Amino acid sequence: MAEATVGAHLVRLVLDAALSCGLSRPELALVHGLPGDLPGDDLLRLPTDTLARLWERLLEADTRPGTGARLAQAAPLGALGVWDYVIVNSRTVAEAFRNGVEHRKVISDPGTRAEVIEDGRTLTLRWQGAIHQTAAAAANHEFVLSRHLWYVRTATGRTVTPVRVEFANPAPRRHHDLVALFGTDRVDFGARDNEISFRAEDAERPLPGADLRLGGILRRNAELMAAAARPAPGWLDQVRSAIADAMAEGELSQHVVGRRLMVSPRTLQRRLEEEGTGWREEVDAVRRELAELLLRDERHTMRSVAARLAYADARALRKAMRRWNAVA
């Protein structure tokens, strides 16, 4: 599994929340590492930093305290893919937490530290994510702890109240919303860890709707998914794909490629500069790759390949090939 990545489901959830708060797709397209099209896929991974930047954008749009907790409570079952179903198809609340921690890598960064602590009096979930930006990390931890409370209440059908909730981040100016969302006034800040605790009797509550046979299948699937997970295409990969598509349609230009990526030509140029490259370099890279591929097939002539790659004529393609070979 790629380091410093998270599951696409969580990224999509925060992205959709940002869109619902009035941010536009072109604005959010500027978030580094975010694909133009984000499918719901348990195997797809995106940079953890992309999730952090999305949290930051969401917090700019939704300035009320408790943004992460509200999102966790509003997201339907299945919003986090297989991880949701692994947790709710467990025998008891305690087992649900243990299963979630064991299989957390299908949704969280591999560097996430999490554990379930049982001392006979309380059941505690301790969670330390891999996002380090203060505001984004706080929202992310709000989300995780609140989501586990949602699991408990949804799966048991009871309004279970936590014994206490602790956050490592400093206290916000107001946290009445968090008190209301968690249902307890024992919400503390500046703690050593991020934790949510329940009474032992709540920990042993059965989950009446759980399908234990299905739960076993899902846990095995989660293990396979963690092993087979793949990173989403990087931004330059997306640019080159858009260039190739524009070439194939005979309308290669920065305006057309920018439209495919939902950014302006100026933004496209700036992003390429930030990546240490430029428009001409990326067009040239795509042309070289496609030329090598197409010319392996004897049915393609130099003239037809030149036209396919938006060259003026075959002579221009030959000149480019001499340059590529000289560099190689």
Side-chain angles (χ1 to χ4, degrees), residues 68-215:
R70 280 193 302 277
L71 181 57
Q73 295 289 315
L77 182 65
L80 295 180
V82 72
W83 196 58
D84 271 355
Y85 295 110
V86 162
I87 292 174
V88 300
N89 285 292
S90 301
R91 193 179 307 276
T92 64
V93 169
E95 185 179 283
F97 280 21
R98 289 193 293 269
N99 285 336
V101 165
E102 181 180 355
H103 299 288
R104 65 188 181 277
K105 289 183 180 179
V106 298
I107 195 70
S108 68
D109 186 294
T112 295
R113 294 184 291 107
E115 60 180 321
V116 177
I117 304 162
E118 299 177 77
D119 60 10
R121 292 176 293 112
T122 58
L123 167 76
T124 298
L125 171 75
R126 180 176 294 164
W127 193 279
Q128 183 60 52
I131 295 176
H132 302 297
Q133 296 90 329
T134 303
N140 199 58
H141 288 128
E142 281 179 18
F143 177 88
V144 171
L145 300 192
S146 183
R147 190 64 173 176
H148 278 79
L149 175 58
W150 183 87
Y151 290 135
V152 173
R153 291 176 173 174
T154 300
T156 63
R158 295 173 177 268
T159 308
V160 177
T161 301
V163 174
R164 68 178 185 279
V165 181
E166 297 185 351
F167 292 104
N169 55 282
R173 289 184 179 180
R174 297 180 296 109
H175 59 273
H176 299 299
D177 289 12
L178 280 174
V179 168
L181 285 163
F182 283 100
T184 177
D185 57 6
R186 290 288 308 278
V187 178
D188 301 316
F189 298 88
R192 187 180 66 178
D193 296 296
N194 304 284
E195 299 180 350
I196 185 167
S197 299
F198 297 89
R199 291 183 292 271
E201 54 266 35
D202 290 327
E204 294 309 314
R205 288 189 184 277
L207 311 188
D211 184 330
L212 301 182
R213 182 172 177 275
L214 175 61

Side-chain angles (χ1 to χ4, degrees), residues 205-252:
R205 288 189 184 277
L207 311 188
D211 184 330
L212 301 182
R213 182 172 177 275
L214 175 61
I217 294 171
L218 291 170
R219 290 193 295 277
R220 288 192 291 274
N221 284 347
E223 292 173 1
L224 295 173
M225 288 174 183
R230 65 185 188 280
W235 192 74
L236 282 180
D237 294 323
Q238 297 169 51
V239 171
R240 292 180 181 181
S241 177
I243 289 172
D245 289 343
M247 278 183 185
E249 295 176 7
E251 51 178 12
L252 179 61

Side-chain angles (χ1 to χ4, degrees), residues 217-291:
I217 294 171
L218 291 170
R219 290 193 295 277
R220 288 192 291 274
N221 284 347
E223 292 173 1
L224 295 173
M225 288 174 183
R230 65 185 188 280
W235 192 74
L236 282 180
D237 294 323
Q238 297 169 51
V239 171
R240 292 180 181 181
S241 177
I243 289 172
D245 289 343
M247 278 183 185
E249 295 176 7
E251 51 178 12
L252 179 61
S253 71
Q254 291 187 48
H255 178 77
V256 170
V257 170
R259 188 173 66 227
R260 288 175 178 274
L261 298 169
M262 295 187 296
V263 297
S264 68
R266 181 177 296 180
T267 299
L268 174 60
Q269 286 183 314
R270 188 177 79 244
R271 287 288 301 272
L272 289 172
E273 289 173 1
E274 290 171 355
E275 297 283 348
T277 183
W279 171 253
R280 290 184 178 179
E281 289 87 342
E282 292 309 305
V283 170
D284 196 53
V286 172
R287 281 173 163 164
R288 179 174 184 174
E289 182 177 354
L290 288 176

